[in-house]
Each structure stands twice: as structure tokens, then as C-alpha cells.
Amino acid sequence: MSGRAPVLDDPEQLKELLGIPFTPEQLACVTAPPAPQVIVAGAGSGKTTVMAARVVWLVGTGAVAPEQVLGLTFTNKAAGELAERVRKALARAGITDPDPSPAPGAGPDAAAGGEPRISTYHAFAGQLLKDHGLRIGLEPSARLLADATRFQLAAKVLREAPGPYPALTKSVPDLVSDLLALDGELSEHLVEPAELRAYDTELLGVLADTRLTNEDLRKVPEAVRGRLELLELVVRYREAKRSRDLFDFGDQIALSARLATTRPEVGALLREEFRVVLLDEYQDTSVAQRLLLSGLFGSGSSQDGVRGGGTGHAVTAVGDPCQAIYGWRGASVANLDDFPEHFPHADGTPATRLSLSENRRSGGRLLDLANGLAAPLRAMHEGVEALRPAPGAERDGLVRCALLPTHAEELEWLGDSVAHLVRTGTAPGEIAVLCRSAADFASIQAVLVARDVPVEVVGLSGLLHLPEVADLVSVCEVLQDPGANAALVRLLIGPRWRIGARDLALLG
């Protein structure tokens, strides 16, 4: 117990305090006992609302103090949004001060007291190493590599490697990317280079005695030899990091997982500090992240993550296996499926599995289409239910499909469709255009602007494709490096100077 006087004892009070008409399944997730549970939350089912309300319920009923709550998610933006939702919900319920700013003369950390700690998975791992890294021999002087420095160091290792590497035929920039990708995958899956070397060597032996009947199969030994050569470069890159007292994000997670699984006293300290743990987007966690979290708050330090009993700690993981899209960076959707075994109750029984399936974002017609398309995917995972529309929205929405001969005609159709919606009363802010690639953002923005439709491009990668932003970036590149030829050419042939091809050739 937190030692605070309870201000809540009835779920109906929670509805009234927060002004949210929770569905029965949402309320079941919010008011569940403080014990391990996984919530399979479908798209648009209000998972962030449920997570914030669960914090309010547990704090309001006196189960924990606000500062004993830890919330983890993937991006700084998501962490900020979750923190804001939790802060506003606690303030609205009258549990915390709506203005948490420190009193005059208070220290810099005064505002943080009495609030949940919301962080990204990587930031949490970094703080864990900072506080406890010495327990596994990590010196406090070790520094985290930024992305640009990672590429520089990897390129240096590549240039100085003795070789020869006959199977590595790509350009240097591509090889640097491959080197870093393999290093990151090994870290995220906690696989040592020696293990991969032994596996690939054995595989080459098997393939040598196998009749490879087509061109694709004959490429497999070549790919394996290339990975073995790349692995030697990874070993050199890791030696370069160690000699300089450096580590990157992949190392950070791998070292944190080793700390969590080999030093049980660290888990005991954190379980005492954080009585409630919320894990957001859990389907996108990697094997190393799962071992880190289960080592601290779950089934303990065994490498397979399963043993006779668990800590029974109040860990709530939220995710949707049908929205798992980050396998390329080490994510394992099996983490969500296997959560009940990785985070069992203290007596060893699997954690509770709950679900959220009412979608309040979309009409029933769109959900019918989505459910039909996703049916084979749902069948692969336990606890995933078909999405349901909100009561009364069963026939809402409209589904149209256009198959057009060219990409240009598709853009024109899209522009005309959106412009018609705006002219007939739909607010532009209620319309979203989703793309497979950010490279399409500029052309889509152009067709909408041409039809006087206000457009907001979301995300930095999309903005960088817009002509005016790309020109500004080019100016900055040329100011920083007069030899940036591609950026200089963009400016010279652009609308301001309009230098023609003949003059540009003379300049070149």
C-alpha cells in the first residue's frame, strides 16, 4: 500500500472523475488487481486511455503512490503523450496538483517528486547501466555513440580491415549499413559472434553436400560466406568500441539484459522502487528487451525466461500482435504471445490475458473489411478478437477501392476525392492520407495544395521531401560544405537562380 488515504473505491467514481464512458472490457482492464496481466488491445480501442486510467485507479485506491509507477514506451513522443495523459488524469481525479511546478527556491528535481516515471525503453536501459553498470564491469566513463559517430567508426573499421573479403561486393556505404545492422541484430537477440560463426560454418558444410537445383538456392552459400566475412568486420567494430570505451543502443540493451538476468539484487531494488510497471507497444520489444524486463520484474534470471514461479509483480503489458511491424530491427511478436509465461504470478500460474476490441475510431463498414483481411493473422495469436464498432456505428463509413492505370492518375483521383470531401463539409483535419513511403508525401501534398486543400505533413522525414524544406536543407549543406555538389546543383537549377544545363556544364 502507498500509505495515502484512498479517494476511489468504486469504478463508477472513476468514470465520473475522468469524464470517460469506459466500456465494460476497458473497465475490467483498468480495475484489475495489481498483478501481472497482458492486454491485447486492437487498433483504436483506447489503450492509452486505459493505461492512464489504470494509474489513476491504483493510485486512487491507495495501492501505490504516483512515484511508484513506471511506464515504458518506444519513442520520446509516445512517452511524452503518455506522461501528459497520466498527469492530467491524476490531476483531474484530484490526486495530484494540477500545477506540478516547484515552489520558489526549490531544487531542480522538486517538480518530479510525486509523479509517475514515464520513459522510453532505451532511456530506461541507459539509466539502469548508469546506476548499476559497475556490477557487470561497465565503467562509468563509457560513452553512448550517436548514430553519426557509429557510421564514422564503422567506416574506419571497414577501411582499415586487412581483407580480402571476396564475398563482400557492395559499395562502402552499403557495407557500413550492413555491418551496423548485423551488429545490432546480434545485440537485440543476444547472440555472440562465435555462435553465429559456428552456425554459418556448419550450414556451409551441409550445403556443400546438397544438390542446389535452382539459381536462388545456389545463392544461399554465397550469402552465408558474405555473412561470415561481415561477421569478422563486426568483431573488429566491437573491439574498436571497447578500446575507446564506447557503446551504442544495441549494446545498451544487451548489457542491460545481462545485468538484469545475472544480478537479481538489481531487480529486487527496482521492484521495491516501482510497484506498478506499464509496458506500451509490447509487441515491438526485442528478445534482449524482453529478457531485461522479465529479469527485473518477471520470471527472473533464467535465460529462457521461464522457471517454477515468478515475482507476481504488477506488470501490465499492452500491445497488438496484428500491429507488429518492426521485426527488421529485432522485434519479436512472440514476447506478447508468451507474456503470461514470462511474467507469471508468484505461484507460477500464467499471467492474466485481457483484451480490448471495441474500436471507436472507425465505422462498422471499415471494420468489417479490416476484420476480413486480418482474419488469418488473428488466428495465429491467442487473445486477439475481431474489432467491434461502437454501439450505433455498425453501418457508419464508406469503403471505396480505385484501381487506376498509372501512379499519376492515382494521385489525381486522390486529390479530387479529398477536395470533394472538403467542399461538401468535411473538415480537412478529419481526413488522413496514409502512404507506404515518405517519398510520396511531396507529390500528394502538391495535388492537394493545387486544389486549395490545407495540408499538414506529419513527421520530419515527410517534411524533408517537401520542395521548400529540401531547398532550405540544401542551403544549410552548402553553407557547411561548399563541396556538397548535389545540394548546390539543386539550388542553382531551382526557381531562384534558374541556371540552365549548358551554363551548369561550364561551371562544372
Side-chain angles (χ1 to χ4, degrees):
M1 297 293 286
S2 68
R4 295 168 182 251
V7 297
L8 289 172
D9 56 18
D10 185 342
E12 291 302 318
Q13 287 178 278
L14 187 67
K15 286 185 178 182
E16 187 177 338
L17 280 171
L18 299 183
I20 299 173
F22 294 108
T23 65
E25 62 181 7
Q26 285 179 325
L27 214 52
C29 295
V30 169
T31 60
Q37 64 171 350
V38 57
I39 302 172
V40 181
S45 59
K47 69 180 180 69
T48 308
T49 299
V50 165
M51 291 172 75
R54 179 153 177 78
V55 175
V56 173
W57 175 257
L58 292 174
V59 174
T61 55
V64 294
E67 61 271 20
Q68 293 176 317
V69 176
L70 172 67
L72 299 177
T73 187
F74 270 97
T75 65
N76 289 323
K77 180 182 178 184
E81 289 175 353
L82 180 58
E84 184 69 11
R85 294 281 281 273
V86 169
R87 190 178 299 117
K88 285 184 175 178
L90 288 171
R92 187 164 185 174
I95 295 169
T96 60
D97 188 344
D99 180 13
S101 56
D109 296 328
E115 287 192 13
R117 178 178 166 188
I118 311 293
S119 171
T120 65
Y121 288 105
H122 276 103
F124 173 71
Q127 188 61 46
L128 190 68
L129 290 178
K130 184 177 178 181
D131 294 342
H132 302 283
L134 274 173
R135 297 175 189 266
I136 56 170
L138 183 68
E139 294 295 332
S141 58
R143 292 179 295 117
L144 181 65
L145 274 168
D147 275 346
T149 318
R150 286 173 63 234
F151 276 88
Q152 289 173 345
L153 182 59
K156 178 179 173 65
V157 167
L158 193 62
R159 287 194 300 269
E160 294 178 353
Y165 300 108
L168 300 180
T169 57
K170 293 184 180 179
S171 65
V172 170
D174 286 342
L175 285 175
V176 169
S177 297
D178 288 349
L179 189 162
L180 292 174
L182 182 56
D183 177 59
E185 288 287 319
L186 290 170
S187 295
E188 292 284 5
H189 289 87
L190 295 182
V191 174
E192 290 298 321
E195 295 177 69
L196 181 59
R197 185 183 298 109
Y199 175 85
D200 278 349
T201 303
E202 181 183 352
L203 180 58
L204 278 177
V206 172
L207 292 172
D209 299 327
T210 304
R211 185 166 174 265
L212 305 176
T213 56
N214 61 51
E215 187 61 29
D216 286 340
L217 288 174
R218 285 190 284 274
K219 289 179 181 177
V220 175
E222 180 184 341
V224 175
R225 283 190 288 270
R227 188 163 70 176
L228 278 170
E229 292 178 3
L230 195 64
L231 185 63
E232 296 306 314
L233 294 170
V234 168
V235 172
R236 288 180 168 274
Y237 172 63
R238 291 187 168 189
E239 289 171 352
K241 285 189 289 186
R242 277 193 295 271
S243 67
R244 292 164 173 80
D245 232 3
L246 299 170
F247 63 96
D248 57 24
F249 283 119
D251 301 323
Q252 191 179 60
I253 292 295
L255 288 168
S256 301
R258 177 147 65 92
L259 178 67
T261 54
T262 60
R263 296 292 184 271
E265 67 273 16
V266 176
L269 288 170
L270 285 174
R271 289 192 296 275
E272 183 64 29
E273 181 180 1
F274 298 113
R275 300 299 181 88
V276 170
V277 180
L278 304 172
L279 305 176
D280 190 22
E281 303 291 4
Y282 193 67
Q283 77 279 352
D284 289 325
T285 52
S286 67
V287 172
Q289 286 170 324
R290 189 266 293 172
L291 287 170
L292 161 64
L293 296 166
S294 64
L296 296 175
F297 306 111
S299 55
S301 58
S302 60
Q303 274 296 311
D304 63 358
V306 181
R307 66 181 188 192
T311 63
H313 205 65
V315 179
T316 297
V318 184
D320 181 3
C322 296
Q323 296 184 62
I325 59 174
Y326 291 117
W328 52 270
R329 71 174 186 200
S332 173
V333 73
N335 289 348
L336 189 69
D337 291 336
D338 297 338
F339 180 93
E341 287 72 41
H342 296 154
F343 293 83
H345 293 281
D347 61 2
T349 56
T352 307
R353 194 191 304 271
L354 301 171
S355 65
L356 296 174
S357 55
E358 183 175 303
N359 179 299
R360 295 184 174 181
R361 186 186 298 161
S362 308
R365 289 185 172 130
L366 181 59
L367 293 179
D368 285 343
L369 173 65
N371 286 332
L373 293 173
L377 193 57
R378 285 199 309 276
M380 296 168 61
H381 303 282
E382 189 175 345
V384 182
E385 298 181 10
L387 294 171
R388 307 189 315 275
E394 290 82 2
R395 305 304 300 164
D396 287 358
L398 176 68
V399 177
R400 296 172 66 198
C401 179
L403 300 175
L404 301 161
T406 66
H407 183 58
E409 289 175 87
E410 185 178 322
L411 289 172
E412 293 299 315
W413 178 85
L414 173 64
D416 290 341
S417 300
V418 173
H420 174 72
L421 288 171
V422 173
R423 283 196 306 270
T424 53
T426 305
E430 295 179 4
I431 301 170
V433 179
L434 308 182
C435 313
R436 286 188 63 86
S437 169
D440 293 330
F441 286 3
S443 52
I444 291 173
Q445 191 225 19
V447 298
L448 293 175
V449 169
R451 290 162 174 77
D452 296 323
V453 176
V455 183
E456 177 192 2
V457 179
V458 178
L460 180 62
S461 62
L463 286 173
L464 291 176
H465 287 86
L466 301 183
E468 57 272 29
V469 178
D471 285 348
L472 181 59
V473 171
S474 295
V475 170
C476 294
E477 288 179 355
V478 172
L479 289 174
Q480 191 270 334
D481 176 17
N485 287 339
L488 182 60
V489 168
R490 179 184 179 89
L491 295 174
L492 293 177
I493 66 175
R496 182 166 184 181
W497 283 285
R498 291 180 291 180
I499 293 179
R502 185 178 300 174
D503 290 334
L504 203 60
L506 289 171
L507 177 63

